[in-house]
Amino acid sequence: MPKMPPVDAPRMLRQRGPVFYRQKHLLAIEGLEPPAISQLLDLSESYVLLNRSGKTQRDLLRGRTLINLFFEDSTRTRTSFELAGKRLGADVINMSVSTSSVNKGETLIDTAATLNAMHCDLLVVRHDQSGAPNLLSRIVDAAVINAGDGTHEHPTQALLDALTIKRRKGRIAGLIVAICGDVAHSRVARSNIHLLTTMGCQVRVIGPPTLIPAEVADLGVTVFHDMARGLAGADVVMMLRLQRERMSRGQIPSAREYFRFYGLDAEKLTQAKSDAIVMHPGPMNRGVEIDSEVADDPLRSVIKEQVEMGVAVRMAVLDMLSRGHRRNES
Ligand code: CP
């Protein structure tokens, strides 16, 4: 791994200067300019170092309330937003949708309006409908963060993936990134395609025709249906979860057949560069899209590092969005 220059994390966190990310919410990666993405990644990097140093920054969000509103299951995203909020001193509430008044028929908009009346500052939303966080951002006062909406976007996942790539490869621009698997149902793929193409990567998508939407080529990627050809010379191999809960019948013949042609194993990985890294957003279907031998290979797999970066990225996002609040207050 290339050596990163030493960084004084607390000094970076205090730094004043131009703010390139000036939106109130974080709803999507699409439309963000390279300086805004770079600034979020630099701030995230300083939080990685801060977390590893054992220092804290609990005064930053003291008195602020963050509500995690997840209408879909989550382990990594929800937990890391909770950790990130607490590490910055916020009051964090995890709303359990399954035991909330949503079960009595309360609508998404009424639920959000209720939380808004409690003066929540940051609302982290995951929903199975694309566009739900965007809709909420128009009716609540809180800053809304999209934690994954339908098949649309998962912006903090793309940021943590980019941070992992940058730390491992020393750069993002110019890399060949192969995104493999169920692109059709993947908000992770969509956010990554927007971020990586914006930051100068050559992005390939690989998968069976049934799982690669035709319009993906319009996003500036090259489409492959043959795994060996798509992986040839790749610097980064990003596997996607097969999202069976969103699939219609017949999109894959069987899990066994899918693994044979599109599952990443040690043999298929030999097509990529010898120092290519392997990524997966999780949760993994071992033996379906990725073989355990590759997923657990400490020399190639960066899957656990992606999880660590998730906390730092979410701290940076909460910090950046609350800077808008602090500007308005001063
Ligand atoms: N990658 C990701 O979003 O994982 P969770 O569903 O566990 O949050």
Side-chain angles (χ1 to χ4, degrees):
M1 183 182 6
K3 267 206 162 127
M4 303 297 286
V7 180
D8 176 355
R11 189 182 65 76
M12 274 196 66
L13 294 167
R14 281 195 304 272
Q15 245 173 16
R16 293 189 190 278
V19 176
F20 298 109
Y21 190 90
R22 300 196 68 86
Q23 297 180 24
K24 179 178 175 185
H25 311 284
L26 176 60
L27 301 172
I29 295 293
E30 185 178 14
L32 293 186
E33 300 288 340
I37 294 171
S38 294
Q39 194 164 46
L40 279 169
L41 295 180
D42 289 346
L43 189 57
S44 303
E45 174 67 37
S46 64
Y47 276 115
V48 175
L49 300 170
L50 187 89
N51 287 339
R52 287 186 177 175
S53 76
K55 293 187 181 130
T56 56
Q57 192 76 14
R58 294 194 200 279
D59 50 335
L60 205 81
L61 295 185
R62 183 165 295 136
R64 307 248 180 250
T65 304
L66 180 158
I67 299 184
N68 272 326
L69 182 59
F70 278 57
F71 290 86
E72 276 189 341
D73 296 341
S74 169
T75 298
R76 281 147 282 264
T77 313
R78 202 182 73 151
T79 311
S80 58
F81 267 114
E82 180 176 357
L83 260 179
K86 286 181 172 167
R87 284 191 183 163
L88 296 178
D91 296 319
V92 181
I93 294 162
N94 291 313
M95 220 191 98
S96 168
V97 169
S98 61
T99 56
S100 73
S101 291
V102 169
N103 271 350
K104 300 177 197 160
E106 190 160 52
T107 64
L108 171 66
I109 288 178
D110 285 341
T111 302
T114 302
L115 300 176
N116 194 49
M118 296 179 198
H119 301 292
C120 140
D121 300 290
L122 295 144
L123 188 60
V124 180
V125 184
R126 171 170 288 189
H127 202 281
D128 66 350
Q129 295 297 314
S130 301
N134 193 308
L135 176 69
L136 294 188
S137 73
R138 288 187 251 139
I139 59 163
V140 298
D141 300 319
V144 176
I145 302 166
N146 180 2
D149 62 329
T151 57
H152 172 228
E153 282 226 30
H154 190 349
T156 55
Q157 179 70 44
L159 287 165
L160 75 87
D161 289 340
L163 182 62
T164 308
I165 293 171
K166 192 169 170 223
R167 288 175 63 85
R168 283 288 176 147
K169 294 287 170 194
R171 68 194 164 106
I172 296 177
L175 295 175
I176 299 176
V177 181
I179 302 178
C180 318
D182 184 2
V183 175
H185 302 102
S186 179
R187 54 199 179 204
V188 172
R190 219 164 298 278
S191 285
N192 265 299
I193 289 169
H194 288 305
L195 190 151
L196 295 169
T197 54
T198 301
M199 299 307 279
C201 286
Q202 207 181 304
V203 180
R204 303 171 179 174
V205 296
I206 312 170
T210 47
L211 296 179
I212 305 278
E215 63 274 13
V216 80
D218 300 340
L219 301 180
V221 304
T222 314
V223 175
F224 291 86
H225 298 302
D226 179 85
M227 192 79 167
R229 289 182 60 207
L231 290 180
D235 297 287
V236 177
V237 180
M238 190 182 286
M239 300 309 296
L240 299 173
R241 183 171 70 86
L242 211 50
Q243 301 198 25
R244 294 196 225 203
E245 73 277 17
R246 297 190 210 278
M247 275 185 199
S248 49
R249 283 166 69 93
Q251 283 191 288
I252 57 160
S254 69
R256 183 197 285 246
E257 191 103 337
Y258 181 83
F259 182 72
R260 190 168 147 228
F261 289 102
Y262 295 103
L264 186 68
D265 57 16
E267 195 197 326
K268 292 196 190 83
L269 186 57
T270 59
Q271 302 293 331
K273 285 198 179 133
S274 57
D275 63 350
I277 56 170
V278 173
M279 308 181 76
H280 193 301
M284 284 184 273
N285 293 307
R286 291 172 182 264
V288 178
E289 68 252 359
I290 191 164
D291 190 47
S292 285
E293 188 190 354
V294 176
D296 300 331
D297 180 350
L299 297 177
R300 311 298 291 273
S301 169
V302 296
I303 295 169
K304 290 197 183 92
E305 193 171 324
Q306 287 173 267
V307 177
E308 183 192 358
M309 295 308 117
V311 178
V313 157
R314 283 152 187 146
M315 288 172 85
V317 167
L318 297 178
D319 177 353
M320 194 62 93
L321 296 186
S322 68
R323 279 169 201 233
H325 272 273
R326 293 199 293 275
R327 268 198 308 276
N328 294 339
E329 282 170 358
S330 58

